[in-house]
Amino acid sequence: MQKIFDAHFHIIERPFSINARKVPPRKSYLVGRYLKECHSLPLDFVGGAVVSSAFHGDDQWYLMGILPQLGKRYVGITQIPNTFTDDEIMALDEMGIRGIRFDLSRVGKNSLTEIETLANRVYSLAKWSTEFYSPGSQVDPELETLILKLPKVSVYFPNTVCLSLIRLRQYLAHGVRLKVTGLSHAVNQKNQMKIVLPLLYRENPQGLMFGTELPETQADNCFSMADIYRIQEALSYDSEAVDNVLYRNAQKWYFKTI
């Protein structure tokens, strides 16, 4: 049975942050439902990274309640302000947090120094990653320069395989990890994925990390077994490559002892 480390998914619980700029269209998506959907598939989910979303803001209650339900094979990616103390960051690390997240649609140029300071601080303290979400295909050049020089970075673009191959290969060449998600959005680009995915994998075999993106709040199509089959086919059923993309890369990225 194919192993999966789900490098990008969300759990939706109320109440949402009072500072949230948007509220998800789906009322709730709880841990029990996520695990039930995963276990209903002929896949072996060996862990994952649950990602705090814009509607959770900086409230840490969200992951505090969710991670114990998911278990020790799962980690959290959170959003914290620059004012968090070192002790507060280490307390989150003890809880299972392994990274911070920024939504690039909400990042202004005035924030670049703050992002760099916080990203370097959480890496120095706890070896956390810094994760960037870009809803579009374009990234501000100054921000892109920052992304390429930070110590441990992953980037998530919806429908990754349909973006500029040159830019994606540049990220991978600099050690930036790319989350392979949103494949359900790319049904009409199946042939493109067959070309792009192997090229990206050859650029950096450790650089691609698969995520289901469940429950998918931005599109009608959700993760299904078809996504797994597309990856296996694109990688010519090479078991090592498939395992790296579907579970091994992300597992090593998030767990310090693996």
Side-chain angles (χ1 to χ4, degrees):
M1 187 178 293
Q2 177 63 55
K3 292 181 179 180
I4 300 291
F5 187 98
D6 188 355
H8 195 101
F9 70 97
H10 304 286
I11 299 297
I12 300 175
E13 284 190 352
R14 294 180 182 272
F16 301 124
S17 168
I18 59 174
N19 297 316
R21 299 189 184 183
K22 66 177 181 178
V23 175
R26 188 187 292 265
K27 291 183 179 180
S28 65
Y29 186 76
L30 305 182
V31 171
R33 182 171 178 182
Y34 169 76
L35 294 176
K36 182 178 180 181
E37 289 187 12
C38 293
H39 293 160
S40 70
L41 299 168
L43 298 168
D44 179 14
F45 280 78
V46 297
V50 56
V51 179
S52 181
S53 296
F55 41 85
H56 293 116
D58 296 335
D59 291 343
Q60 302 307 311
W61 66 266
Y62 166 70
L63 292 171
M64 289 179 181
I66 287 171
L67 286 173
Q69 298 179 61
L70 289 167
K72 293 183 178 180
R73 297 183 301 172
Y74 288 79
V75 301
I77 307 300
T78 194
Q79 299 168 119
I80 61 173
N82 231 325
T83 54
F84 254 47
T85 67
D86 291 356
D87 286 344
E88 287 175 308
I89 290 170
M90 293 311 298
L92 291 177
D93 183 74
E94 185 69 22
M95 189 179 77
I97 303 300
R98 293 295 180 266
I100 53 174
R101 175 184 188 265
F102 296 98
D103 183 337
L104 297 188
S105 67
R106 295 177 171 82
V107 170
K109 290 186 178 181
N110 294 336
S111 303
L112 294 184
T113 300
E114 292 183 0
I115 291 173
E116 182 174 9
T117 298
L118 184 58
N120 282 312
R121 188 155 67 94
V122 299
Y123 180 78
S124 176
L125 284 169
K127 296 297 183 288
W128 283 6
S129 63
T130 298
E131 309 205 347
F132 293 96
Y133 163 65
S134 178
S137 60
Q138 300 298 319
V139 176
D140 179 89
E142 290 184 43
L143 180 56
E144 191 161 74
T145 298
L146 174 60
I147 289 172
L148 294 178
K149 75 175 185 178
L150 289 176
K152 186 177 182 181
V153 179
S154 72
V155 180
Y156 157 52
F157 297 95
N159 203 359
T160 303
V161 296
C162 297
L163 297 179
S164 164
L165 180 58
I166 294 175
R167 288 184 60 240
L168 294 176
R169 291 180 71 176
Q170 180 185 29
Y171 281 132
L172 291 168
H174 282 77
V176 174
R177 271 35 176 191
L178 298 177
K179 290 192 174 184
V180 181
T181 66
L183 299 186
S184 54
H185 312 169
V187 175
N188 296 327
Q189 290 84 21
K190 184 177 179 181
N191 290 332
Q192 183 175 356
M193 188 168 74
K194 287 182 180 180
I195 298 171
V196 172
L197 203 62
L199 289 173
L200 294 179
Y201 181 79
R202 284 197 290 272
E203 184 68 47
N204 183 350
Q206 287 76 49
L208 302 178
M209 307 187 300
F210 172 76
T212 66
E213 205 182 346
L214 286 169
E216 180 51 82
T217 61
Q218 305 299 323
D220 293 332
N221 296 326
C222 290
F223 162 72
S224 69
M225 282 298 298
D227 296 341
I228 304 300
Y229 299 147
R230 292 187 189 108
I231 290 174
Q232 291 172 331
E233 182 182 10
L235 295 174
S236 302
Y237 302 97
D238 180 325
S239 60
E240 181 178 4
V242 170
D243 283 349
N244 281 345
V245 173
L246 290 181
Y247 87 93
R248 193 175 289 123
N249 288 345
Q251 199 175 52
K252 290 179 179 178
W253 182 252
Y254 289 116
F255 284 92
K256 305 170 186 176
T257 58
I258 291 177

